[in-house]
Amino acid sequence: MRRALDGLPPRLRHLLLGWASVGCAYSLGSLWPRRAIVLPELPVDRWIPFDPAAIWLYASFFLIVPVAYLFARPEKLAWLQRAMQLCALAAGAVFLLCPTTLAYPPIVGDGWHAEALRVFLRFDTPHNCLPSLHGALTALSAWALWAGRRRLRSWLALAWALAILFAVIQLRRHLFIDLSAGVALGLLCGLLAARPATVFNFSYQRT
């Protein structure tokens, strides 16, 4: 395994080790046969109407993560990997101990948006809502892409991240309560991963 990773470009290696850990935690949590708690809607959720057209912006989440690893400064790569691994560890524990779900709205209509959403739902799970890993990884990706000297890129990354978070609620894959918890988890794990002597350092050390 180590030899296989040694042969990969550093950015790809960090991406695989960071994002794959999140996928493992998400999949493990969805397999645990426990009754899930239904999260409540808040007024802010009702203010954002459900719209299947948000599927396209929502799907761009699967672009912002690899973009973060591709364009972040080299010194941020190990940090981003560690932060995502911490998110996977913390969220996976919550998914197993306290699974949550939502009252998902029905999908009506036969347009492109509705059909794309139906296809997406074949690969999604109705559980593992709180904390939202979409929120956590989106926050970390925007953080990794933030570069003070490149203001345009930094603000574009932030705007992209905020648009994804809005689309997540608009598509009702998460609600404000679990999305906010996910963003908070991402920021907390980012701070912990930045500590030079953290006991949660799961990095693959070669760069």
Side-chain angles (χ1 to χ4, degrees):
M1 179 66 176
R2 290 177 65 93
R3 291 181 179 178
L5 292 173
D6 285 343
L8 296 176
R11 291 182 182 273
L12 178 58
R13 185 171 64 241
H14 286 295
L15 169 64
L16 292 177
L17 291 173
W19 206 3
S21 64
V22 175
C24 290
Y26 187 81
S27 300
L28 180 63
S30 65
L31 296 176
W32 194 254
R34 295 187 62 184
R35 185 170 182 175
I37 300 172
V38 180
L39 296 174
E41 278 196 354
L42 299 178
V44 64
D45 299 305
R46 292 188 287 271
W47 176 73
I48 303 174
F50 170 70
D51 188 353
I55 181 61
W56 310 110
L57 188 54
Y58 173 88
S60 72
F61 162 80
F62 298 98
L63 291 177
I64 196 172
V65 174
V67 164
Y69 281 96
L70 183 61
F71 291 102
R73 295 197 303 268
E75 61 270 20
K76 283 188 174 183
L77 293 175
W79 163 81
L80 183 58
Q81 175 194 318
R82 288 196 300 269
M84 287 194 176
Q85 289 170 334
L86 282 171
C87 285
L89 181 64
V94 176
F95 294 159
L96 290 174
L97 296 174
C98 186
T100 50
T101 188
L102 310 180
Y104 296 101
I107 305 172
V108 297
D110 300 320
W112 283 99
H113 310 315
E115 289 300 323
L117 179 54
R118 292 189 183 98
V119 171
F120 170 81
L121 292 181
R122 296 175 186 173
F123 307 96
D124 196 17
T125 173
H127 299 152
N128 300 347
C129 291
L130 191 153
S132 165
L133 284 171
H134 283 86
L137 269 59
T138 299
L140 285 173
S141 297
W143 189 348
L145 291 169
W146 186 271
R149 295 182 179 180
R150 298 181 179 181
R151 294 184 179 180
L152 179 59
R153 192 188 81 171
S154 298
W155 287 106
L156 285 176
L158 179 59
W160 186 9
L162 292 174
I164 290 174
L165 297 178
F166 184 87
V168 167
I169 296 180
Q170 192 174 26
L171 206 61
R172 289 301 187 274
R173 303 318 302 162
H174 290 282
L175 297 175
F176 182 80
I177 185 172
D178 50 314
L179 187 64
S180 299
V183 171
L185 174 65
L187 297 177
L188 176 61
C189 290
L191 292 173
L192 288 175
R195 294 172 61 89
T198 177
V199 296
F200 300 108
N201 189 336
F202 301 112
S203 296
Y204 184 75
Q205 296 298 327
R206 289 179 60 99
T207 57

